[in-house]
Amino acid sequence: MPLTRREFTRQSALAGAGVALTGAVGSLATAPGALAAEDGADIAGQGHEDGEHAHGSHGPGYGPLIPDPNGLLALPAGFSYRVITRAGVTKLESGEFTPSKHDGTATFEGPRGVTLLVVNHELNGPRSKIDHPVPLAESLVYDPAAPGGCTVVEAHRSGEVAQWVGIAGTAQNCAGGRTPWGTWLTCEETENRAGQNGMTKDHGYVFEVDPYDRRANRAPKPIKALGRYAHEAVVVDPKRAHLYLTEDASTPNGLLYRWVPPHGFKHGRGHLRHLADDAGVLQAAKCFDSGGRFVDDLSRATKIGTVYGVDWADVPDRDARTVPVRKQFADTDVTRARKLEGMWWGDGGVYIVSSYARDESPVHHDGQVWFYDPKRRTLTLKVLLGVNPDPSKDGAFDGPDNITVSPYGGLIIAEDGEGVQHLFGATERGRTYPIARNELNLGTAEDPDFSEFAGVVFSPDGRTLYASIQTPGIMFAITGPWKRQSHHH
């Protein structure tokens, strides 16, 4: 049953503080190691201090980043990396080069210490324009005109690596989500229909990829029950069987979705692909504040600890046959947000990223991370990045994208912002610290250009952090003296 505005207002009043239903939360400041602002700190009050200066002996993280003589990845002292795959350099089992534009990634436990990874390749448009598309492996192709898809990577402790195609002929595979039953849901961030951009089939769907069973991936079938729109990421609520999905779109801004399975449906390997196209109910989030007032856009939240109640509005036409899903709602029916991106299940709920907000949104920011609590049906602002005044300067973070929950506490976030690009951590109390910096300059000394990080995820044993530089497409395995990040200031 939906949480009514009256119920939420009453719960908020009982909470005393009006908004702090889930306990104390700190602000994620924009400088590494910067002390979190107090609960309820305003976005405009966040400072941007020099990153290296901010590292104290008692701060979180692993200390300053050391430049890489090989010009790839700056890491803290004691950490090292290994290149696992590189587009146009390493090769698949079939002999073709590794595809380019690595994106969302998940890890799976393989036999005898092997780590299996499923890697998205965010490639769009006609295949003829892509240097290293996902090869059209026999029986694994959805649309032969599309260049994207997934590769499966088998990483051995010995350093040996094997790669093969998991799905091909999909478009703009951005993020996705790991399922509790050991598969990967890959998401197309496009709304291209057959006949558009060279495509021969409709796109904008979610597909399931099984890293363990190559036969299960034959004859790819879109999970149309999850809707057709510019998908970003998806997570599965293992208790309630709901799926949560983000949409990375603008004009108008995208939506946060929930899919409720049909009565009696049981999740499992390959079960989603057998659903009817209209199975279950696809819904979009509609938020309201503690006073019961409707919230039109998530950028309205300018204080850490802001809590919104969430209702869910049914999507009229999930396949967007004539009107894009996000345009099927009036602005008073749903809550929008710019650049809804990475998601990860953890701590009994869903962490959800909004990368930034500019003139298309009511309020500007350079990144939010929200936490949706399905039991309370509340959305809490956990992370807020003020607008970065100088993205070319190392130190401040902006544009969070892919995200993962760390086994050492807090979050690890891939930066897809302006200027310098990092992997950075955020403790459970909201302090930030750098983990890696992209040193591969695709531009010039006068006009540098650094690609975003993507596909950040730990190995099943927690010893290795995998992450990719999207362009040209390089996956790294990062190891070092990982340690629990303290809760305390």
Side-chain angles (χ1 to χ4, degrees), residues 22 108 133 240 287 372 456 478:
T22 56
F108 304 84
R240 297 162 188 85
C287 301
Y372 178 71
V456 57
I478 301 168

Side-chain angles (χ1 to χ4, degrees), residues 405-463:
V405 174
S406 171
Y408 304 97
L411 305 171
I412 309 294
I413 299 169
E415 191 175 3
D416 175 16
E418 301 294 326
V420 183
Q421 306 286 359
H422 303 87
L423 293 175
F424 65 97
T427 70
E428 290 157 2
R429 291 300 300 270
R431 299 184 70 184
T432 66
Y433 56 94
I435 294 172
R437 181 178 63 242
N438 178 5
E439 299 207 318
L440 182 59
N441 183 4
L442 303 174
T444 64
E446 296 75 27
D447 187 17
D449 179 21
F450 297 96
S451 174
E452 69 185 83
F453 276 104
V456 57
V457 60
F458 275 94
S459 59
D461 64 9
R463 295 178 183 175

Side-chain angles (χ1 to χ4, degrees), residues 259-383:
W259 179 75
V260 180
H263 182 71
F265 176 77
K266 294 285 189 290
H267 280 297
R269 308 180 84 83
H271 291 188
L272 288 170
R273 68 178 290 158
H274 297 297
L275 285 167
D277 292 350
D278 60 351
V281 182
L282 185 67
Q283 303 170 312
K286 179 179 184 179
C287 301
F288 46 92
D289 65 18
S290 57
R293 293 175 291 268
F294 167 68
V295 179
D296 63 338
D297 194 284
L298 291 182
S299 68
R300 295 283 187 192
T302 58
K303 288 180 168 55
I304 296 298
T306 296
V307 179
Y308 293 147
V310 181
D311 274 344
W312 296 94
D314 291 359
V315 170
D317 170 22
R318 72 182 86 182
D319 204 49
R321 286 182 290 272
T322 55
V323 178
V325 173
R326 70 186 183 283
K327 295 182 180 180
Q328 294 173 24
F329 295 96
D331 287 341
T332 53
D333 293 339
V334 287
T335 300
R336 303 186 184 278
R338 180 74 176 105
K339 295 290 288 180
L340 285 169
E341 301 233 18
M343 309 173 82
W344 206 267
W345 180 269
D347 305 321
V350 189
Y351 289 94
I352 303 161
V353 169
S354 170
S355 284
Y356 62 77
R358 291 292 184 268
D359 290 345
E360 78 292 320
S361 305
V363 181
H364 290 198
H365 64 72
D366 256 344
Q368 296 175 327
V369 181
W370 293 85
F371 180 77
Y372 178 71
D373 183 334
K375 184 178 180 181
R376 289 192 169 99
R377 288 167 288 178
T378 54
L379 203 55
T380 301
L381 184 59
K382 294 286 190 179
V383 168

